[in-house]
Amino acid sequence: MENDSQAVTRAPSIEEQPQYVQHSLQLPSTKDLDLLEPSRTVTPSVRSFDAVPPRSSRWDLRPFHGMVTDVKNRLPYYWSDWKDAWTYRVVPATAMIFFSNILPGIAFSLDLIETTNQYGVTEVLLSSFMAAFIFSVFACQPLVIAGVTGPITVLNKTIYDILKTRSDAPNYLHFIGWVYLWAAVLHWIAAIFNAANFLRYVTRFSCDTFGFYVSWVYLQYGVQVLTRQFTESPSGPEGAYVSIILALVLLTAGHLFVAASQSTFFHRLVRRFFADYGMPISVVACSALAYWGRFNASNPATLPTAGAYNPAGGREWLVRFWELPAKWVGIAFPFGLVLFILFFFDHNVSSLIAQGSEFPLRKPPGFHWDFFWLGITTFIAGLIGVPAPNGLIPQAPMHTQSLVVMGVKSKDDEEIGTSADGEKALGGVREGVEHPIAVVEQRGVLAGLFWFMGTDALRGSGVTAKFLYLIQDDSLVPLHEPLRKVRPSMIWLFLAIELVGFGATMAITQTIVRTHIIPLLPFTQEELAILDRPTASPFTMESVGGSI
């Protein structure tokens, strides 16, 4: 890797991506850095994986081996995780996570809050803070953002709907407490016996397909937030129409900032400011717009508020789940198994994407150790009656991207990339201060935020990148584009399989399809190496036994 010399303002191509090394990279001086969004359409050249020795396919069942290895590898970096947090890159990352984590978590929980009367905004915020504190102090992967997701709120609401049909239904929170306890026990067993090694089979196929699905979920949920106001908002259709205007303004403003940050206009520091703070400025401006003139008179709907730090319904914080009748303890196990499967894929894939091969991280991961702690946060959530948190998509990779520093170009046209992967110390503090502010958000602004995050994730999706390549003018495709080495018919075939996986939304099945079915189709090894490669670099995959 050559010494860096001058800054560039274009995205790195495949051939220019950095080669990954296990030692620290030298950070370039601030004056040499220019605004550059890391490439999210394709991952580094296949040759960066050539040096990886083949791994045994045997499952490592030595108890605690993965957890002990994770701690040994990560412990020397623990102090630097805190020390490295004191850098300017943490400021825009904090602003981004402030809006993209807590507010969608509350929105996803609206049905749960309004239907069950067992949860409130306080419970959602406390869950996010609890996860932030535990993962920032005890976990091995501080880049991963955990919080309340849509699937867990859907599962909790489904359980509530099932229980209310029973004449002898138990206390809801007591039953959920046992569901979470069973799930936590399964988390601990999986972590102890190194189940995270399964992640070696999770490639870009699974992550791109799942990420593509999550992006469309965000778009759909933004629509749902708005359409519900026509029937549920006390202000009637007028308030709902104002909310639609606010959502469209935020969506447009957010992408205008993105376009400006990637343009050749303005000074590089101005463009970096647009990239760092465009989304937060759009959210704040649109929230203020809701209180202006006729918009304010229309009384657009807002998120629900509740007494600060008080649980919903006036209950006590401790959930005495051990008082649940014995027959319901066994009934809770299948739900705990479903929750375990959901978190195993969702959280670990979030961790993989947050440490993807496009981010040249310098510190080792710790999938086994962190999954053990996810079991602890799941148990605590059941004990205090809050929704269980887990890794977030697309927030986790967005968080890494907001911290990464890339774009220094050498004399020989080779891209140098470095990543600030500290920020451990500020995680709990950051989310802890969000409680008194988040509850004033307009629902229309929230819908616009969902649309912006969904469309931004679609813009960088590998599925989208393949489709755009296929319809692009061939004369304008760079000569070094790796997809040129793949037959167009094979790109269409691979894209069709990804879309089938997207439609099925069966995350585990997607991984099985990639491992056992796709290799039987008429792809060459070189084509599969370009179309589908390990999600993270060999350095990151070392924690789970290496890549397949």
Side-chain angles (χ1 to χ4, degrees), residues 1-2 4 12 16-21 23-28 33 36 38 358-362 404-410 414-420:
M1 186 175 289
E2 302 295 333
D4 43 283
E16 297 169 341
Q17 290 283 350
Q19 299 298 305
Y20 294 90
V21 291
H23 55 78
S24 297
L25 299 174
Q26 181 65 38
L27 277 170
L33 294 177
L36 183 63
E358 65 267 40
F359 305 123
L361 304 181
R362 298 171 295 170
V404 76
V405 178
M406 296 187 72
V408 179
K409 196 177 182 185
S410 71
E414 182 176 1
E415 191 72 24
I416 306 295
T418 59
S419 175

Side-chain angles (χ1 to χ4, degrees), residues 1 12-21 38-50 204 355-361 406 415 417 480-482 485 528-538:
M1 186 175 289
S13 68
I14 284 291
E15 300 299 329
E16 297 169 341
Q17 290 283 350
Q19 299 298 305
Y20 294 90
V21 291
S39 175
R40 297 178 297 172
T41 59
V42 284
T43 49
S45 173
V46 177
R47 65 176 181 268
S48 63
F49 298 98
D50 290 344
R204 283 288 177 183
Q355 301 171 97
S357 49
E358 65 267 40
F359 305 123
L361 304 181
M406 296 187 72
E415 191 72 24
H480 54 259
E481 170 59 57
K485 302 176 182 178
L528 271 183
I530 294 172
L531 290 170
D532 189 35
R533 55 184 62 84
T535 301
S537 68

Side-chain angles (χ1 to χ4, degrees), residues 40 88-104 143-145 218 258 273-281 283-284 354 359 392-404 423 430-431 434 449 452-453 456:
R40 297 178 297 172
Y88 170 73
R89 294 308 310 159
V90 173
V91 177
T94 300
M96 184 274 295
I97 288 298
F98 176 89
F99 293 104
S100 64
N101 182 5
I102 295 298
L103 297 180
L143 287 173
V144 179
I145 297 299
Y218 269 66
V258 172
F273 179 84
F274 287 161
D276 289 344
Y277 300 105
M279 187 266 282
I281 289 175
V283 172
V284 172
F359 305 123
L392 297 172
I393 300 174
Q395 288 90 335
M398 289 172 60
H399 177 235
T400 307
Q401 183 182 322
S402 66
L403 288 169
V404 76
E423 214 232 342
R430 174 185 63 211
E431 295 189 23
E434 294 170 349
L449 180 60
F452 173 78
M453 293 174 62
D456 189 62

Side-chain angles (χ1 to χ4, degrees), residues 145-383:
I145 297 299
V148 178
T149 63
I152 186 61
T153 60
V154 171
L155 177 63
N156 279 22
K157 184 179 182 299
T158 300
I159 293 174
Y160 177 83
D161 292 337
I162 293 174
L163 292 181
K164 75 177 183 180
T165 63
R166 302 280 303 186
S167 59
D168 59 341
N171 180 284
Y172 171 74
L173 289 180
H174 289 181
F175 187 81
I176 287 293
W178 271 102
V179 172
Y180 284 8
L181 176 58
W182 283 122
V185 171
L186 293 174
H187 278 69
W188 298 331
I189 294 174
I192 290 172
F193 289 98
N194 316 311
N197 285 344
F198 173 78
L199 296 179
R200 70 174 69 183
Y201 300 105
V202 178
T203 62
R204 283 288 177 183
F205 172 84
S206 303
C207 293
D208 284 349
T209 306
F210 187 63
F212 193 72
Y213 164 72
V214 171
S215 302
W216 280 102
V217 167
Y218 269 66
L219 295 177
Q220 181 272 335
Y221 206 85
V223 174
Q224 182 179 334
V225 168
L226 294 174
T227 54
R228 289 176 56 183
Q229 296 186 42
F230 285 96
T231 57
E232 301 178 6
S233 175
S235 58
E238 186 177 357
Y241 286 126
V242 169
S243 294
I244 293 175
I245 294 174
L246 294 175
L248 292 174
V249 169
L250 192 150
L251 174 65
T252 304
H255 282 293
L256 284 176
F257 275 113
V258 172
S261 69
Q262 297 176 349
S263 70
T264 56
F265 300 108
F266 312 110
H267 189 272
R268 62 183 177 85
L269 295 180
V270 176
R271 297 197 303 273
R272 179 170 288 278
F273 179 84
F274 287 161
D276 289 344
Y277 300 105
M279 187 266 282
I281 289 175
S282 300
V283 172
V284 172
C286 290
S287 298
L289 183 63
Y291 296 97
W292 174 66
R294 293 287 298 274
F295 284 176
N296 187 36
S298 300
N299 191 28
T302 61
L303 292 173
T305 59
Y309 310 111
N310 295 322
R315 66 174 177 86
E316 60 179 355
W317 276 112
L318 180 64
V319 176
R320 304 178 187 276
F321 63 89
W322 52 86
E323 298 178 356
L324 185 72
K327 74 170 185 177
W328 292 100
V329 173
I331 296 174
F333 177 77
F335 295 99
L337 178 61
V338 171
L339 179 59
F340 162 74
I341 295 173
L342 169 66
F343 276 12
F344 183 83
F345 188 87
D346 202 4
H347 183 83
N348 285 316
V349 167
S350 174
S351 302
L352 271 178
I353 299 177
Q355 301 171 97
S357 49
E358 65 267 40
F359 305 123
L361 304 181
R362 298 171 295 170
K363 299 178 182 179
F367 295 96
H368 309 278
W369 179 259
D370 280 18
F371 197 66
F372 184 88
W373 278 98
L374 185 65
I376 293 177
T377 60
T378 302
F379 171 71
I380 295 175
L383 190 63

Side-chain angles (χ1 to χ4, degrees), residues 200-207 209 494 497-498 507-520 523 525 527-534 548:
R200 70 174 69 183
Y201 300 105
V202 178
T203 62
R204 283 288 177 183
F205 172 84
S206 303
C207 293
T209 306
F494 194 88
I497 297 172
E498 287 185 321
I508 297 178
T509 303
Q510 291 163 12
T511 299
I512 294 174
V513 166
R514 167 57 181 95
T515 306
H516 299 289
I517 297 179
I518 291 181
L520 301 178
F523 294 100
Q525 289 300 316
E527 288 172 337
L528 271 183
I530 294 172
L531 290 170
D532 189 35
R533 55 184 62 84
I548 57 173

